[in-house]
Amino acid sequence: MQKVITLKDLCLVTKTAPMAADIHGGRAKCLQRLIRLDMPVPTTVAISFDAVRAIAAGQGADIPQILRHFEETPLLSVRPSSMDPDWGGPGAMLNIGLNDAKHAELCQSLGEDVATRLYMRHIQSFAVEVARLDPEEFYLPDHPSQDALKAMLATYESEMDAEFPQDAGEQLSEVLRSMARAWEGTTARLLRQAKGAPADAGLGLVVQEMALALGAGVSGSGVVQFVDGTTGCKQVIGRFVPQAAPTASLRDSKNAEFLSRDKRGPSLEEQAPEAYQKLIEYGELVRTRLREEMEIKFVVRDGALSILDGIRLPRSSRAAVRIAVDLAETGVIAKEEAVMRVKPAALSELLHRQVDSSAKRDFLVRGIAASPGAASGRLVFSGSEAQASAARGEACVLVRRETTPEDIRGMHASAAVVTLRGGVTSHAAVIGRGIGLPCIVGAADLDVDERKRCIKVPDGRSFSAGDMVTVDGTTGQLLAGETAMLEAALDDGFQTLLSWADEVRDIGIRANADTPADAQTARNFAAEGIGLCRTEHMFFDGDRIDLMREMIFAETSEGRAAVLERLLPLQRSDFTELFRIMQGQPVCIRLFDPPLHEFLPVGKAGMRELAELLDVPLAQVTARVDDLSEYNPMLGMRGVRLGITVPEIYEMQARAIFEATVAINAEAEAVVPEIMIPLVSAMREVELVQSRVDSVAAAVHAETGVEFDYRLGVMVETPRAALRAADIAEHAAFLSFGTNDLTQMTYGLSRDDAGKFMSDYVNQHVYAEDPFHTLDLEGVGELLQLGAERGRQGRPDVTLSICGEHGGDTNAIAFCRAQKFDYVSCSPFRVPVARLSAAQLAIEDKKDPR
């Protein structure tokens, strides 16, 4: 049954008209607000979402009810009015109602050339946009004439088998039908869904009396902004085009003039000072009364000003922060509202360099956007090449099939990283986010020939080592050449906004930091401590990996202890520096986790080098590598299992932690280190490690005579640990859920291989989202909830947190707040995002305490 279009669906926009953005669209509602501020807005009729849907379905619009609000022979415009202007919509149609009679009338008032050009442009727009005729047939000549006009009308009649409509109502009816159908088309639906609009998003239309920008005096169209949309700084920006219709291309017009006085050319302020002053007043009025920075479209005719439209100022992430803070600091909005106005993703953009949105992109291949930011550099294919490039002072992009812990030094030396394999929690992705390195993973369409040191992209082009490329880790695009960038922007507005966020959030935010550099970044971003320090990453720096390899080849416990004795001062120095940087804030140190085979070379060349280093036969090295290999190393001899079977490693690390604690306590505020046991699945594992750690603590106390405290806890990353959390918590001061491995084990899904098919799973709705990117609140979340409840049963005061890559995700933070977790921990560069997300969740809860 077709909907009947009623008078409510065709609403004259007045101060008191019953209108709403979710019925008539944002543009219509904004026009009503401008009218309420007594601005000179031309007569406007708003058509509701429901009416537009009915028109698209074939029902005719009630044209007489619309036209009754305008003069007898009107000139009208129609513009789209959706809920969100970012969702797009059909283009505006102008000068509806222009016909032979109106053309003759305009010839008298405006002159034949101007009137004829106006009429021909209208015929062209109507033929192409409404009648869907071939644009080539309706070319607009440089010098319109009566003969050219007659020829264009004849072409229309020939193509349509009907004369160009002379009735304003008929023109308007066809325009409304065309725009309504365009919105409901499949292509339009897909485009707006890609921008985040719901599939059934409605479109309103506004029919407005044309304010002609043509006249004898100062006349023209313009657009004005009162704040720079890129920087957020106060500035009158815009253009005024004399004797020009109001179009979207005003800024690009060759005839455009300045608004404010400018040495470079004429301005509206000089030619029509009263109209200019009114614009300035209107800008301040909308800012204070509508509590927003707006972009205003206007027309001046013979010096008189008309306001056609007002929209929320399009803005960059940098400008969004500055505008929100400025509105709050000047009392226009509250601090909490300023916090709510900035999207967390906007902060992520500010923390990193980004590809300039206006820059030309030479696209090569797309992968998974694993770590945001952008960088350009010359292609390299190994960690050693990256280090050599950095030593020469040359930026480089490291391309690998997949990275391993052995590549960490190369990653630190690179400007960006690209891998063919992996997902959002693969090694490259985690390290990239941790150190703020732009990273693309899972670029499976990229063909890498490591022997020839070149890549081949899908369009057939090849790039060799040394060629310049750009990595856009925000979008997952690899680009050819060096692309224009926008620098990171951590200004006072950024810091102010986050300080307001900290005033209202109710959950702690820590950082995952593995090195002193990571810890300093965490401090700079105001993290409330370190929630996860992965100590194994420290063993890949410098000569440490050689010591680790020597320890692996030791035959006895004494031999291993002797090698670890040489690592002890290096570990102690690491922890001392971490404690010093964090200045008394908590530091949670995860004991050694990865399987030992990760420290051994893979290729023959590397094995020969190791044999030479250790002065042993190559066969012995090969045999040891084979002995340590596992079918599934992520489920094998790693974490606490290694700590129990090779206890010397954990004993050395515990000693290093306690000796660093003693050293720092002598020079600064006392620290209470948190020692975390990884991959626990049974209470007895905790008991065994606890007894060894306690004995080391007693020994250090006896040797130094210094009292110190520490906390021992567990990283819950196996389903069994979550289920047995009550037993485990009896021996653990804290339970920190490692959601990366917990997701992997819950799903029985390799996080490094999932990228090969995850997009198909998400597209076919097997999973709502990639569970390694967005925390699975149903499955993994239930384990978290059970683990938290049972952990509190075993120890009511147990500290609860998550420290996986989900820690900075808004949904995960919301879940942790609901479960009364104490804090979340995430990569240092996600700390500001997490602080803002947590604050917004707390503010929303205040509004709706349910």
Side-chain angles (χ1 to χ4, degrees):
M1 180 178 175
Q2 279 195 338
K3 172 188 164 51
V4 176
I5 298 177
T6 67
L7 289 178
K8 292 182 180 179
D9 294 313
L10 307 175
C11 180
L12 177 66
V13 183
T14 64
K15 291 182 179 181
T16 58
M19 297 178 60
D22 59 353
I23 296 175
H24 300 93
R27 172 174 266 132
K29 185 60 183 176
C30 186
L31 284 170
Q32 183 182 45
R33 293 186 177 114
L34 299 182
I35 290 170
R36 285 173 176 171
L37 295 177
D38 293 321
M39 293 189 188
V41 176
T43 302
T44 305
V45 172
I47 304 176
S48 73
F49 295 170
D50 285 347
V52 173
R53 288 192 184 99
I55 294 169
Q59 184 174 348
D62 191 342
I63 299 300
Q65 283 296 338
I66 298 174
L67 292 181
R68 71 187 182 92
H69 299 291
F70 302 98
E71 63 182 41
E72 188 173 344
T73 58
L75 285 183
L76 306 172
S77 67
V78 179
R79 291 183 173 84
S81 179
S82 59
M83 275 285 291
D84 188 328
D86 292 338
W87 294 349
M93 286 293 296
L94 309 179
N95 296 311
I96 300 162
L98 188 49
N99 54 20
D100 293 348
K102 198 73 174 179
H103 170 245
E105 181 184 319
L106 292 175
C107 284
Q108 297 296 318
S109 60
L110 300 177
E112 186 174 303
D113 285 351
V114 173
T116 301
R117 179 180 295 277
L118 198 66
Y119 192 14
M120 290 187 70
R121 185 180 291 129
H122 173 55
I123 297 167
Q124 179 192 49
S125 297
F126 192 91
V128 174
E129 302 298 334
V130 180
R132 310 295 178 188
L133 299 179
D134 185 355
E136 294 294 327
E137 299 292 330
F138 293 89
Y139 173 72
L140 187 65
D142 292 334
H143 302 288
S145 64
Q146 291 285 2
D147 289 340
L149 172 59
K150 290 177 182 178
M152 184 177 279
L153 287 168
T155 301
Y156 183 93
E157 183 175 349
S158 173
E159 292 291 324
M160 293 293 292
D161 289 330
E163 291 185 352
F164 184 78
Q166 296 295 304
D167 181 69
E170 184 181 350
Q171 289 187 23
L172 178 59
S173 178
E174 290 299 311
V175 167
L176 296 179
R177 183 182 61 83
S178 173
M179 294 176 76
R181 287 187 174 180
W183 178 261
E184 294 297 335
T186 301
T187 300
R189 282 172 174 263
L190 291 174
L191 285 174
R192 63 177 177 266
Q193 281 181 258
K195 297 176 181 179
D200 61 348
L203 176 74
L205 295 171
V206 291
V207 181
Q208 188 177 77
E209 178 187 1
M210 284 291 299
L212 283 178
L214 304 164
V218 177
S219 302
S221 300
V223 58
V224 60
Q225 301 173 349
F226 305 92
V227 168
D228 188 317
T230 300
T231 66
C233 295
K234 289 275 190 183
Q235 186 179 357
V236 177
I237 300 173
R239 285 290 185 267
F240 176 70
V241 183
Q243 306 295 326
T247 68
S249 58
L250 288 174
R251 292 184 185 86
D252 303 323
S253 173
K254 295 179 182 179
N255 301 322
E257 298 178 355
F258 297 98
L259 293 179
S260 305
R261 281 187 173 85
D262 196 294
K263 295 178 180 177
R264 293 171 292 175
S267 68
L268 178 65
E269 184 177 10
E270 294 168 302
Q271 299 175 58
E274 291 184 8
Y276 174 81
Q277 186 56 42
K278 275 290 184 184
L279 278 177
I280 300 303
E281 292 173 8
Y282 290 156
E284 184 59 27
L285 188 62
V286 296
R287 181 182 182 276
T288 55
R289 296 285 295 278
L290 302 187
R291 306 185 316 127
E292 184 57 278
E293 292 291 354
M294 306 283 285
E295 175 182 280
I296 294 176
K297 290 183 179 178
F298 64 93
V299 160
V300 176
R301 187 176 191 190
D302 295 334
L305 181 67
S306 295
I307 303 299
L308 304 187
D309 199 8
I311 62 170
R312 179 180 179 272
L313 173 71
R315 63 202 65 183
S316 68
S317 297
R318 181 182 313 195
V321 172
R322 175 165 282 188
I323 289 170
V325 170
D326 181 65
L327 288 171
E329 287 183 332
T330 53
V332 176
I333 62 175
K335 292 179 181 179
E336 290 190 355
E337 185 172 345
V339 169
M340 294 299 293
R341 285 195 178 191
V342 178
K343 295 179 181 178
L347 290 194
S348 183
E349 288 184 25
L350 298 184
L351 299 173
H352 308 276
R353 295 179 81 205
Q354 301 287 338
V355 173
D356 190 332
S357 60
S358 63
K360 184 179 179 181
R361 291 173 177 248
D362 186 354
F363 175 78
L364 299 180
V365 72
R366 184 187 297 275
I368 298 170
S371 180
S376 299
R378 302 194 179 279
L379 282 173
V380 297
F381 294 89
S382 70
S384 58
E385 285 182 71
Q387 290 175 273
S389 182
R392 296 192 300 269
E394 293 181 354
C396 66
V397 171
L398 176 62
V399 177
R400 302 284 285 164
R401 293 189 185 280
E402 59 186 333
T403 60
T404 67
E406 196 170 352
D407 290 312
I408 286 178
R409 282 178 289 177
M411 293 178 70
H412 275 277
S414 303
V417 173
V418 179
T419 68
L420 275 66
R421 300 174 186 148
V424 290
T425 54
S426 63
H427 178 267
V430 171
I431 299 303
R433 287 192 292 271
I435 62 178
L437 185 71
C439 179
I440 300 170
V441 300
D445 292 334
L446 192 65
D447 186 10
V448 175
D449 189 329
E450 293 182 345
R451 185 174 59 84
K452 293 183 179 180
R453 299 172 63 241
C454 68
I455 61 173
K456 189 173 182 179
V457 298
D459 66 10
R461 285 185 286 174
S462 294
F463 296 82
S464 301
D467 287 343
M468 184 67 71
V469 296
T470 296
V471 172
D472 187 346
T474 304
T475 65
Q477 292 183 342
L478 179 65
L479 310 171
E482 188 170 5
T483 309
M485 301 281 182
L486 295 176
E487 296 301 321
L490 307 183
D491 55 16
D492 291 343
F494 177 91
Q495 304 295 352
T496 299
L497 184 77
L498 286 178
S499 70
W500 295 343
D502 290 339
E503 291 174 7
V504 296
R505 66 178 168 85
D506 52 12
I507 189 171
I509 309 292
R510 294 197 198 179
N512 301 340
D514 305 334
T515 66
D518 294 343
Q520 188 58 59
T521 301
R523 282 290 300 180
N524 294 345
F525 290 148
E528 297 168 311
I530 294 175
L532 173 62
C533 173
R534 292 166 284 229
T535 54
E536 62 271 9
H537 291 161
M538 300 173 176
F539 293 111
F540 288 96
D541 283 337
D543 297 329
R544 300 184 187 194
I545 192 168
D546 292 335
L547 288 173
M548 283 297 296
R549 289 168 171 173
E550 190 175 338
M551 186 273 295
I552 291 170
F553 276 80
E555 299 292 340
T556 64
S557 174
E558 292 76 13
R560 289 191 292 271
V563 178
L564 289 167
E565 185 70 24
R566 295 160 63 192
L567 276 170
L568 174 63
L570 301 175
Q571 278 271 272
R572 182 172 60 235
S573 174
D574 292 330
F575 297 139
T576 302
E577 186 62 18
L578 284 179
F579 294 152
R580 184 176 288 121
I581 290 170
M582 297 314 294
Q583 300 178 12
Q585 289 189 327
V587 176
C588 184
I589 299 168
R590 184 180 74 181
L591 297 175
F592 191 87
D593 180 50
L596 292 178
H597 77 86
E598 288 192 2
F599 292 87
L600 298 180
V602 177
K604 287 289 185 183
M607 291 185 190
R608 279 195 295 271
E609 289 180 13
L610 181 57
E612 184 179 349
L613 173 72
L614 299 176
D615 193 22
V616 298
L618 177 60
Q620 185 177 337
V621 172
T622 304
R624 187 64 172 141
V625 170
D626 290 341
D627 182 54
L628 288 175
S629 66
E630 298 176 288
Y631 288 110
N632 193 337
M634 288 299 98
L635 299 178
M637 183 69 77
R638 55 169 283 220
V640 69
R641 299 159 193 169
L642 194 61
I644 289 173
T645 55
V646 189
E648 298 84 8
I649 299 176
Y650 280 11
E651 289 174 357
M652 180 275 290
Q653 290 191 301
R655 176 170 283 275
I657 292 168
F658 295 140
E659 289 181 354
T661 301
V662 169
I664 283 295
N665 287 355
E667 66 179 61
E669 183 180 348
V671 297
V672 180
E674 299 174 353
I675 299 175
M676 184 157 65
I677 310 169
L679 210 71
V680 165
S681 59
M683 178 182 69
R684 181 60 179 160
E685 292 172 321
V686 184
E687 290 179 322
L688 289 171
V689 174
Q690 183 180 38
S691 65
R692 290 184 181 276
V693 171
D694 286 345
S695 65
V696 173
V700 172
H701 170 60
E703 294 162 11
T704 62
V706 176
E707 294 278 355
F708 58 85
D709 197 6
Y710 68 94
R711 303 176 75 218
L712 186 74
V714 164
M715 190 170 186
V716 180
E717 47 194 328
T718 68
R720 192 178 193 280
L723 296 172
R724 302 302 302 170
D727 297 337
I728 291 171
E730 293 178 10
H731 302 275
F734 61 88
L735 300 177
S736 189
F737 293 83
T739 53
N740 299 353
D741 272 358
L742 188 57
T743 298
Q744 185 169 231
M745 295 185 193
T746 302
Y747 275 82
L749 183 63
S750 167
R751 67 190 186 195
D752 295 313
D753 296 325
K756 296 175 183 176
F757 60 85
M758 187 56 68
S759 61
D760 290 333
Y761 261 51
V762 173
N763 289 337
Q764 296 184 52
H765 308 291
V766 179
Y767 302 149
E769 296 285 350
D770 181 343
F772 294 112
H773 190 264
T774 301
L775 183 62
D776 166 27
L777 300 181
E778 295 176 349
V780 179
E782 186 171 359
L783 278 174
L784 290 173
Q785 185 175 354
L786 283 172
E789 291 172 356
R790 294 179 183 182
R792 291 191 183 103
Q793 291 172 10
R795 180 189 289 245
D797 63 344
V798 68
T799 298
L800 299 172
S801 67
I802 64 171
C803 61
E805 281 300 304
H806 298 103
D809 181 66
T810 299
N811 289 336
I813 295 172
F815 177 86
C816 290
R817 289 181 66 251
Q819 301 304 318
K820 307 298 183 185
F821 277 42
D822 296 278
Y823 67 87
V824 299
S825 187
C826 55
S827 300
F829 282 89
R830 296 193 76 183
V831 166
V833 179
R835 289 164 62 194
L836 181 61
S837 294
Q840 291 180 347
L841 289 166
I843 293 170
E844 286 175 359
D845 276 0
K846 280 187 189 177
K847 294 178 180 176
D848 185 6
R850 292 178 298 174

